[in-house]
Amino acid sequence: MKKIVFASFFVFSYLVTHAQKDFQGMAVYESKTSTADFKSRFEGNKEITPEMQKMIEERMKKMFEKTFFLNFDKSASIYKEEEKLETPGQGQGGFRMMSSVMGGGGTYYKNVKDKTYTVDKEFMGKEFLVKDSLRTYNWQMTGETRVIGGYNCFKATTVIPASKTDFRNFRPKKEEEKKEDKAKEETKEGTKTSFMDQIELPKEVTITAWYTPEIPVSQGPEGYWGLPGLILEVNDGKTTILCSKIVLNPKDKAEIKAPSNGKEVSQKEYDEIVIKKMEEMQEMNSGRGGGFQMRMSR
């Protein structure tokens, strides 16, 4: 009898360990960013025809509303934007440049065991491989609960510094604010106006996350992680990322590995490259008689 019990326990332990080792899941996320601040830049502009206004809104929707797939196991995950065919003329000019720093467009690999991430990014026609340590979030548990997609979720919040290269945090300055800044700068001899002077960026961003302990993996969309359950929704005030579908142990397993193409840089180095390039473009536009502008091809 003891032998039978021991054998049963051994088989059960093997099956549990094997199941954990092979465990994998897939989650679909819908990301939507508020465009109110950007739309206000075009409202009331007599030079913009109704046709141009419609085109702008359509392209902005493509930039600010996206679908992503997260494939995850117990220790790692890959987060990728849904691939879509571009129509002729789509993604040109300023919109293409902006789209490259709007999140997505590559593979975001997180390893929560090693606390590292790797993401391949394309910016201004060049490929970069950003490798760095995962951010440590100081999550505060609130005790609030809600149901998302049939899963019981708990609320957690944290405050982080705003990224200088995540355009979703940006708000273009109003003309009145630009005139005030220009007047101040004119009093300073030899002072140049940089790209960062053309926009407003909050110092901090409050993150609200909803996670479910029913899927006990410390994963989530983009770079979010560190909670005792899969994060199903994230909101930073302007952008909401909501899980719309979950498949546990799908038949077709995804290969969860870090991307490897591109020039390897740290997150700080990549941010400096982006800001420098944006300032160079602003100087080029200033040479034509204007400040930094988003140029759009029809």
Side-chain angles (χ1 to χ4, degrees):
M1 183 66 182
K2 290 182 178 180
K3 291 182 178 180
I4 295 175
V5 172
F6 178 79
S8 298
F9 177 77
F10 176 79
V11 172
F12 175 76
S13 299
Y14 171 80
L15 291 174
V16 170
T17 303
H18 187 71
Q20 288 180 339
K21 182 180 179 181
D22 293 341
F23 170 78
Q24 193 175 117
M26 186 278 291
V28 181
Y29 291 87
E30 308 296 336
S31 175
K32 187 173 183 179
T33 300
S34 171
T35 60
D37 291 332
F38 290 90
K39 284 184 178 180
S40 64
R41 297 282 294 166
F42 305 107
E43 292 177 355
N45 191 330
K46 297 180 181 179
E47 296 181 1
I48 298 179
T49 64
E51 291 76 14
M52 290 178 65
Q53 180 73 27
K54 183 178 180 181
M55 177 200 71
I56 291 171
E57 291 180 356
E58 288 177 351
R59 292 192 176 179
M60 287 180 71
K61 184 176 181 180
K62 287 184 173 65
M63 278 200 311
F64 291 93
E65 296 182 19
K66 297 182 177 182
T67 300
F68 294 86
F69 294 91
L70 178 74
N71 289 280
F72 58 89
D73 56 28
K74 287 287 185 179
S75 61
S77 67
I78 50 174
Y79 185 70
K80 293 187 67 173
E81 182 182 349
E82 179 185 31
E83 295 182 2
K84 294 181 180 179
L85 293 175
E86 291 189 354
T87 55
Q90 181 183 339
Q92 297 178 9
F95 275 111
R96 184 172 186 177
M97 176 191 66
M98 287 281 285
S99 188
S100 66
V101 284
M102 287 302 299
T107 298
Y108 197 122
Y109 171 85
K110 292 196 302 290
N111 189 313
V112 297
K113 184 178 181 180
D114 298 338
K115 297 182 180 179
T116 60
Y117 71 91
T118 303
V119 54
D120 53 346
K121 289 177 173 285
E122 181 183 347
F123 181 69
M124 303 296 290
K126 295 184 179 180
E127 291 194 14
F128 296 92
L129 190 68
V130 183
K131 300 181 72 173
D132 220 316
S133 299
L134 284 170
R135 179 194 298 275
T136 300
Y137 293 97
N138 183 26
W139 292 110
Q140 302 296 314
M141 308 302 186
T142 68
E144 292 183 53
T145 64
R146 59 181 283 210
V147 176
I148 299 177
Y151 290 91
N152 294 311
C153 297
F154 293 83
K155 182 180 179 181
T157 63
T158 188
V159 178
I160 63 173
S163 169
K164 292 183 179 180
T165 55
D166 188 342
F167 273 51
R168 293 171 297 184
N169 295 324
F170 292 6
R171 183 183 76 82
K173 284 186 177 179
K174 296 179 181 179
E175 291 302 320
E176 296 78 15
E177 295 172 319
K178 286 185 178 182
K179 288 178 181 179
E180 291 177 4
D181 291 343
K182 187 177 180 181
K184 291 178 183 178
E185 293 298 329
E186 286 177 348
T187 62
K188 301 177 184 179
E189 186 176 353
T191 302
K192 286 186 178 182
T193 302
S194 70
F195 160 69
M196 298 304 292
D197 294 326
Q198 304 297 306
I199 50 91
E200 278 192 344
L201 179 68
K203 292 183 179 180
E204 296 179 329
V205 177
T206 299
I207 306 297
T208 300
W210 293 89
Y211 68 95
T212 176
E214 295 175 18
I215 305 177
V217 295
S218 186
Q219 292 287 352
E222 294 188 1
Y224 298 110
W225 72 291
L227 287 167
L230 181 65
I231 298 173
L232 300 190
E233 181 176 335
V234 178
N235 180 276
D236 67 2
K238 291 191 67 175
T239 300
T240 297
I241 306 175
L242 176 63
C243 180
S244 59
K245 181 181 179 181
I246 296 176
V247 179
L248 298 179
N249 289 314
K251 290 182 179 181
D252 297 324
K253 303 284 186 180
E255 187 177 20
I256 300 176
K257 68 175 185 178
S260 57
N261 294 328
K263 179 183 177 181
E264 187 173 324
V265 294
S266 67
Q267 186 65 58
K268 182 180 178 181
E269 290 171 332
Y270 177 76
D271 291 347
E272 290 173 349
I273 291 170
V274 171
I275 293 173
K276 182 180 179 181
K277 181 58 66 175
M278 301 298 281
E279 290 181 344
E280 288 177 357
M281 292 188 64
Q282 186 225 358
E283 288 184 8
M284 290 174 60
N285 287 330
S286 296
R288 300 188 183 105
F292 179 82
Q293 299 177 19
M294 182 190 293
R295 301 186 179 277
M296 295 159 288
S297 302
R298 296 193 66 180

